PDB file of all heavy atoms in Angstrom:
ATOM      1  N   SER A  56      31.826  18.159-189.408  1.00 86.00           N
ATOM      2  CA  SER A  56      30.691  18.498-188.557  1.00 86.00           C
ATOM      3  C   SER A  56      29.797  19.515-189.248  1.00 86.00           C
ATOM      4  O   SER A  56      30.115  20.026-190.332  1.00 86.00           O
ATOM      5  CB  SER A  56      31.190  19.068-187.229  1.00 86.00           C
ATOM      6  OG  SER A  56      31.928  20.255-187.446  1.00 86.00           O
ATOM      7  N   SER A  57      28.676  19.810-188.612  1.00 91.00           N
ATOM      8  CA  SER A  57      27.782  20.849-189.120  1.00 91.00           C
ATOM      9  C   SER A  57      28.511  22.191-189.120  1.00 91.00           C
ATOM     10  O   SER A  57      29.240  22.501-188.184  1.00 91.00           O
ATOM     11  CB  SER A  57      26.522  20.935-188.254  1.00 91.00           C
ATOM     12  OG  SER A  57      25.833  19.709-188.222  1.00 91.00           O
ATOM     13  N   THR A  58      28.295  22.987-190.167  1.00 94.00           N
ATOM     14  CA  THR A  58      29.030  24.233-190.292  1.00 94.00           C
ATOM     15  C   THR A  58      28.139  25.346-190.834  1.00 94.00           C
ATOM     16  O   THR A  58      27.131  25.094-191.507  1.00 94.00           O
ATOM     17  CB  THR A  58      30.242  24.102-191.235  1.00 94.00           C
ATOM     18  OG1 THR A  58      29.787  23.634-192.516  1.00 94.00           O
ATOM     19  CG2 THR A  58      31.272  23.150-190.689  1.00 94.00           C
ATOM     20  N   ILE A  59      28.526  26.559-190.530  1.00 95.00           N
ATOM     21  CA  ILE A  59      28.015  27.753-191.201  1.00 95.00           C
ATOM     22  C   ILE A  59      29.150  28.289-192.049  1.00 95.00           C
ATOM     23  O   ILE A  59      30.269  28.463-191.552  1.00 95.00           O
ATOM     24  CB  ILE A  59      27.541  28.807-190.198  1.00 95.00           C
ATOM     25  CG1 ILE A  59      26.294  28.316-189.455  1.00 95.00           C
ATOM     26  CG2 ILE A  59      27.253  30.129-190.891  1.00 95.00           C
ATOM     27  CD1 ILE A  59      25.802  29.264-188.393  1.00 95.00           C
ATOM     28  N   LYS A  60      28.869  28.538-193.318  1.00 96.00           N
ATOM     29  CA  LYS A  60      29.896  29.032-194.226  1.00 96.00           C
ATOM     30  C   LYS A  60      29.466  30.361-194.831  1.00 96.00           C
ATOM     31  O   LYS A  60      28.275  30.594-195.070  1.00 96.00           O
ATOM     32  CB  LYS A  60      30.147  28.021-195.356  1.00 96.00           C
ATOM     33  CG  LYS A  60      30.969  26.804-194.945  1.00 96.00           C
ATOM     34  CD  LYS A  60      31.246  25.912-196.132  1.00 96.00           C
ATOM     35  CE  LYS A  60      32.316  24.877-195.820  1.00 96.00           C
ATOM     36  NZ  LYS A  60      31.938  23.964-194.747  1.00 96.00           N
ATOM     37  N   GLY A  61      30.450  31.208-195.085  1.00 95.00           N
ATOM     38  CA  GLY A  61      30.217  32.486-195.746  1.00 95.00           C
ATOM     39  C   GLY A  61      31.330  32.779-196.724  1.00 95.00           C
ATOM     40  O   GLY A  61      32.474  32.355-196.510  1.00 95.00           O
ATOM     41  N   ASN A  62      31.002  33.489-197.805  1.00 96.00           N
ATOM     42  CA  ASN A  62      31.999  33.778-198.833  1.00 96.00           C
ATOM     43  C   ASN A  62      31.827  35.187-199.368  1.00 96.00           C
ATOM     44  O   ASN A  62      30.695  35.681-199.520  1.00 96.00           O
ATOM     45  CB  ASN A  62      31.852  32.810-200.017  1.00 96.00           C
ATOM     46  CG  ASN A  62      32.113  31.369-199.620  1.00 96.00           C
ATOM     47  OD1 ASN A  62      33.246  30.954-199.428  1.00 96.00           O
ATOM     48  ND2 ASN A  62      31.040  30.601-199.502  1.00 96.00           N
ATOM     49  N   LEU A  63      32.945  35.842-199.638  1.00 95.00           N
ATOM     50  CA  LEU A  63      32.982  37.085-200.393  1.00 95.00           C
ATOM     51  C   LEU A  63      33.567  36.757-201.751  1.00 95.00           C
ATOM     52  O   LEU A  63      34.699  36.277-201.838  1.00 95.00           O
ATOM     53  CB  LEU A  63      33.829  38.136-199.670  1.00 95.00           C
ATOM     54  CG  LEU A  63      33.292  38.633-198.335  1.00 95.00           C
ATOM     55  CD1 LEU A  63      34.283  39.596-197.701  1.00 95.00           C
ATOM     56  CD2 LEU A  63      31.938  39.312-198.500  1.00 95.00           C
ATOM     57  N   ILE A  64      32.794  37.010-202.818  1.00 95.00           N
ATOM     58  CA  ILE A  64      33.126  36.479-204.140  1.00 95.00           C
ATOM     59  C   ILE A  64      33.125  37.591-205.177  1.00 95.00           C
ATOM     60  O   ILE A  64      32.319  38.522-205.103  1.00 95.00           O
ATOM     61  CB  ILE A  64      32.105  35.385-204.539  1.00 95.00           C
ATOM     62  CG1 ILE A  64      32.178  34.215-203.564  1.00 95.00           C
ATOM     63  CG2 ILE A  64      32.336  34.895-205.955  1.00 95.00           C
ATOM     64  CD1 ILE A  64      31.057  33.209-203.719  1.00 95.00           C
ATOM     65  N   LEU A  65      34.024  37.467-206.138  1.00 93.00           N
ATOM     66  CA  LEU A  65      34.005  38.320-207.315  1.00 93.00           C
ATOM     67  C   LEU A  65      33.496  37.489-208.493  1.00 93.00           C
ATOM     68  O   LEU A  65      34.200  36.585-208.957  1.00 93.00           O
ATOM     69  CB  LEU A  65      35.393  38.868-207.627  1.00 93.00           C
ATOM     70  CG  LEU A  65      35.474  39.770-208.864  1.00 93.00           C
ATOM     71  CD1 LEU A  65      34.651  41.036-208.648  1.00 93.00           C
ATOM     72  CD2 LEU A  65      36.913  40.118-209.201  1.00 93.00           C
ATOM     73  N   PRO A  66      32.268  37.742-208.980  1.00 94.00           N
ATOM     74  CA  PRO A  66      31.755  36.989-210.127  1.00 94.00           C
ATOM     75  C   PRO A  66      32.254  37.582-211.443  1.00 94.00           C
ATOM     76  O   PRO A  66      32.187  38.788-211.661  1.00 94.00           O
ATOM     77  CB  PRO A  66      30.235  37.149-209.989  1.00 94.00           C
ATOM     78  CG  PRO A  66      30.052  38.455-209.290  1.00 94.00           C
ATOM     79  CD  PRO A  66      31.274  38.651-208.416  1.00 94.00           C
ATOM     80  N   VAL A  67      32.753  36.728-212.322  1.00 94.00           N
ATOM     81  CA  VAL A  67      33.257  37.170-213.626  1.00 94.00           C
ATOM     82  C   VAL A  67      32.366  36.548-214.711  1.00 94.00           C
ATOM     83  O   VAL A  67      32.315  35.322-214.829  1.00 94.00           O
ATOM     84  CB  VAL A  67      34.716  36.723-213.821  1.00 94.00           C
ATOM     85  CG1 VAL A  67      35.229  37.189-215.185  1.00 94.00           C
ATOM     86  CG2 VAL A  67      35.598  37.258-212.702  1.00 94.00           C
ATOM     87  N   PRO A  68      31.642  37.352-215.495  1.00 93.00           N
ATOM     88  CA  PRO A  68      30.799  36.787-216.553  1.00 93.00           C
ATOM     89  C   PRO A  68      31.626  35.967-217.549  1.00 93.00           C
ATOM     90  O   PRO A  68      32.732  36.352-217.924  1.00 93.00           O
ATOM     91  CB  PRO A  68      30.198  38.028-217.231  1.00 93.00           C
ATOM     92  CG  PRO A  68      30.264  39.100-216.189  1.00 93.00           C
ATOM     93  CD  PRO A  68      31.516  38.821-215.419  1.00 93.00           C
ATOM     94  N   LEU A  69      31.065  34.834-217.977  1.00 93.00           N
ATOM     95  CA  LEU A  69      31.716  33.936-218.931  1.00 93.00           C
ATOM     96  C   LEU A  69      30.842  33.776-220.163  1.00 93.00           C
ATOM     97  O   LEU A  69      29.683  33.367-220.057  1.00 93.00           O
ATOM     98  CB  LEU A  69      31.956  32.551-218.306  1.00 93.00           C
ATOM     99  CG  LEU A  69      33.081  32.403-217.296  1.00 93.00           C
ATOM    100  CD1 LEU A  69      33.086  30.983-216.738  1.00 93.00           C
ATOM    101  CD2 LEU A  69      34.425  32.718-217.919  1.00 93.00           C
ATOM    102  N   GLY A  70      31.369  34.107-221.323  1.00 91.00           N
ATOM    103  CA  GLY A  70      30.626  33.919-222.557  1.00 91.00           C
ATOM    104  C   GLY A  70      29.421  34.817-222.685  1.00 91.00           C
ATOM    105  O   GLY A  70      28.494  34.500-223.440  1.00 91.00           O
ATOM    106  N   ASN A  71      29.402  35.934-221.959  1.00 94.00           N
ATOM    107  CA  ASN A  71      28.318  36.921-222.032  1.00 94.00           C
ATOM    108  C   ASN A  71      28.902  38.288-222.350  1.00 94.00           C
ATOM    109  O   ASN A  71      28.975  39.164-221.490  1.00 94.00           O
ATOM    110  CB  ASN A  71      27.534  36.976-220.710  1.00 94.00           C
ATOM    111  CG  ASN A  71      26.926  35.641-220.322  1.00 94.00           C
ATOM    112  OD1 ASN A  71      27.108  35.154-219.228  1.00 94.00           O
ATOM    113  ND2 ASN A  71      26.165  35.044-221.244  1.00 94.00           N
ATOM    114  N   PRO A  72      29.326  38.511-223.598  1.00 92.00           N
ATOM    115  CA  PRO A  72      30.037  39.757-223.926  1.00 92.00           C
ATOM    116  C   PRO A  72      29.192  41.009-223.770  1.00 92.00           C
ATOM    117  O   PRO A  72      29.719  42.062-223.393  1.00 92.00           O
ATOM    118  CB  PRO A  72      30.458  39.543-225.387  1.00 92.00           C
ATOM    119  CG  PRO A  72      29.532  38.488-225.914  1.00 92.00           C
ATOM    120  CD  PRO A  72      29.240  37.600-224.757  1.00 92.00           C
ATOM    121  N   LEU A  73      27.897  40.936-224.043  1.00 92.00           N
ATOM    122  CA  LEU A  73      27.047  42.130-223.899  1.00 92.00           C
ATOM    123  C   LEU A  73      26.939  42.527-222.435  1.00 92.00           C
ATOM    124  O   LEU A  73      27.106  43.691-222.078  1.00 92.00           O
ATOM    125  CB  LEU A  73      25.659  41.859-224.484  1.00 92.00           C
ATOM    126  CG  LEU A  73      25.570  41.679-225.988  1.00 92.00           C
ATOM    127  CD1 LEU A  73      24.149  41.352-226.405  1.00 92.00           C
ATOM    128  CD2 LEU A  73      26.042  42.940-226.712  1.00 92.00           C
ATOM    129  N   PHE A  74      26.659  41.541-221.581  1.00 93.00           N
ATOM    130  CA  PHE A  74      26.534  41.827-220.154  1.00 93.00           C
ATOM    131  C   PHE A  74      27.853  42.336-219.590  1.00 93.00           C
ATOM    132  O   PHE A  74      27.881  43.263-218.778  1.00 93.00           O
ATOM    133  CB  PHE A  74      26.091  40.567-219.421  1.00 93.00           C
ATOM    134  CG  PHE A  74      25.758  40.789-217.978  1.00 93.00           C
ATOM    135  CD1 PHE A  74      24.528  41.322-217.615  1.00 93.00           C
ATOM    136  CD2 PHE A  74      26.655  40.476-216.968  1.00 93.00           C
ATOM    137  CE1 PHE A  74      24.196  41.535-216.284  1.00 93.00           C
ATOM    138  CE2 PHE A  74      26.344  40.688-215.637  1.00 93.00           C
ATOM    139  CZ  PHE A  74      25.110  41.214-215.292  1.00 93.00           C
ATOM    140  N   GLU A  75      28.951  41.731-220.001  1.00 92.00           N
ATOM    141  CA  GLU A  75      30.260  42.159-219.519  1.00 92.00           C
ATOM    142  C   GLU A  75      30.597  43.574-219.966  1.00 92.00           C
ATOM    143  O   GLU A  75      31.256  44.316-219.250  1.00 92.00           O
ATOM    144  CB  GLU A  75      31.326  41.177-220.007  1.00 92.00           C
ATOM    145  CG  GLU A  75      32.692  41.403-219.401  1.00 92.00           C
ATOM    146  CD  GLU A  75      33.670  40.307-219.761  1.00 92.00           C
ATOM    147  OE1 GLU A  75      33.308  39.439-220.582  1.00 92.00           O
ATOM    148  OE2 GLU A  75      34.789  40.321-219.223  1.00 92.00           O
ATOM    149  N   ALA A  76      30.118  43.965-221.159  1.00 90.00           N
ATOM    150  CA  ALA A  76      30.423  45.287-221.691  1.00 90.00           C
ATOM    151  C   ALA A  76      29.629  46.393-221.015  1.00 90.00           C
ATOM    152  O   ALA A  76      30.127  47.507-220.845  1.00 90.00           O
ATOM    153  CB  ALA A  76      30.175  45.320-223.196  1.00 90.00           C
ATOM    154  N   VAL A  77      28.404  46.096-220.616  1.00 90.00           N
ATOM    155  CA  VAL A  77      27.528  47.160-220.098  1.00 90.00           C
ATOM    156  C   VAL A  77      27.416  47.148-218.574  1.00 90.00           C
ATOM    157  O   VAL A  77      26.709  47.985-218.008  1.00 90.00           O
ATOM    158  CB  VAL A  77      26.123  47.080-220.719  1.00 90.00           C
ATOM    159  CG1 VAL A  77      26.205  47.159-222.234  1.00 90.00           C
ATOM    160  CG2 VAL A  77      25.387  45.818-220.288  1.00 90.00           C
ATOM    161  N   THR A  78      28.113  46.238-217.900  1.00 92.00           N
ATOM    162  CA  THR A  78      28.085  46.208-216.438  1.00 92.00           C
ATOM    163  C   THR A  78      29.490  46.046-215.880  1.00 92.00           C
ATOM    164  O   THR A  78      30.422  45.654-216.586  1.00 92.00           O
ATOM    165  CB  THR A  78      27.209  45.051-215.900  1.00 92.00           C
ATOM    166  OG1 THR A  78      27.807  43.794-216.272  1.00 92.00           O
ATOM    167  CG2 THR A  78      25.799  45.126-216.446  1.00 92.00           C
ATOM    168  N   GLU A  79      29.621  46.336-214.607  1.00 92.00           N
ATOM    169  CA  GLU A  79      30.863  46.115-213.867  1.00 92.00           C
ATOM    170  C   GLU A  79      30.523  45.337-212.598  1.00 92.00           C
ATOM    171  O   GLU A  79      29.598  45.704-211.871  1.00 92.00           O
ATOM    172  CB  GLU A  79      31.532  47.438-213.508  1.00 92.00           C
ATOM    173  CG  GLU A  79      31.965  48.252-214.720  1.00 92.00           C
ATOM    174  CD  GLU A  79      32.556  49.597-214.343  1.00 92.00           C
ATOM    175  OE1 GLU A  79      32.486  49.934-213.134  1.00 92.00           O
ATOM    176  OE2 GLU A  79      33.046  50.313-215.229  1.00 92.00           O
ATOM    177  N   SER A  80      31.254  44.278-212.323  1.00 92.00           N
ATOM    178  CA  SER A  80      30.996  43.452-211.129  1.00 92.00           C
ATOM    179  C   SER A  80      31.387  44.209-209.869  1.00 92.00           C
ATOM    180  O   SER A  80      32.501  44.719-209.755  1.00 92.00           O
ATOM    181  CB  SER A  80      31.776  42.134-211.207  1.00 92.00           C
ATOM    182  OG  SER A  80      31.331  41.347-212.284  1.00 92.00           O
ATOM    183  N   VAL A  81      30.468  44.252-208.920  1.00 94.00           N
ATOM    184  CA  VAL A  81      30.737  44.858-207.625  1.00 94.00           C
ATOM    185  C   VAL A  81      31.132  43.778-206.609  1.00 94.00           C
ATOM    186  O   VAL A  81      32.121  43.912-205.898  1.00 94.00           O
ATOM    187  CB  VAL A  81      29.513  45.635-207.120  1.00 94.00           C
ATOM    188  CG1 VAL A  81      29.775  46.198-205.719  1.00 94.00           C
ATOM    189  CG2 VAL A  81      29.170  46.757-208.084  1.00 94.00           C
ATOM    190  N   GLY A  82      30.363  42.706-206.559  1.00 94.00           N
ATOM    191  CA  GLY A  82      30.706  41.615-205.648  1.00 94.00           C
ATOM    192  C   GLY A  82      29.518  40.727-205.362  1.00 94.00           C
ATOM    193  O   GLY A  82      28.390  40.980-205.781  1.00 94.00           O
ATOM    194  N   GLN A  83      29.782  39.673-204.592  1.00 96.00           N
ATOM    195  CA  GLN A  83      28.761  38.705-204.223  1.00 96.00           C
ATOM    196  C   GLN A  83      28.999  38.258-202.788  1.00 96.00           C
ATOM    197  O   GLN A  83      30.135  38.009-202.386  1.00 96.00           O
ATOM    198  CB  GLN A  83      28.811  37.508-205.172  1.00 96.00           C
ATOM    199  CG  GLN A  83      27.770  36.447-204.899  1.00 96.00           C
ATOM    200  CD  GLN A  83      27.890  35.283-205.879  1.00 96.00           C
ATOM    201  OE1 GLN A  83      28.336  34.201-205.501  1.00 96.00           O
ATOM    202  NE2 GLN A  83      27.529  35.503-207.131  1.00 96.00           N
ATOM    203  N   VAL A  84      27.914  38.164-202.032  1.00 96.00           N
ATOM    204  CA  VAL A  84      27.952  37.674-200.656  1.00 96.00           C
ATOM    205  C   VAL A  84      27.146  36.382-200.614  1.00 96.00           C
ATOM    206  O   VAL A  84      25.994  36.333-201.069  1.00 96.00           O
ATOM    207  CB  VAL A  84      27.368  38.701-199.672  1.00 96.00           C
ATOM    208  CG1 VAL A  84      27.352  38.132-198.259  1.00 96.00           C
ATOM    209  CG2 VAL A  84      28.168  39.990-199.706  1.00 96.00           C
TER     210      VAL A  84
END
Side-chain angles (χ1 to χ4, degrees):
S56 61
S57 301
T58 57
I59 292 177
K60 284 184 167 62
N62 297 285
L63 294 176
I64 297 170
L65 179 64
V67 180
L69 285 176
N71 301 128
L73 292 177
F74 188 79
E75 189 172 6
V77 303
T78 65
E79 297 177 353
S80 295
V81 177
Q83 181 180 107
V84 177

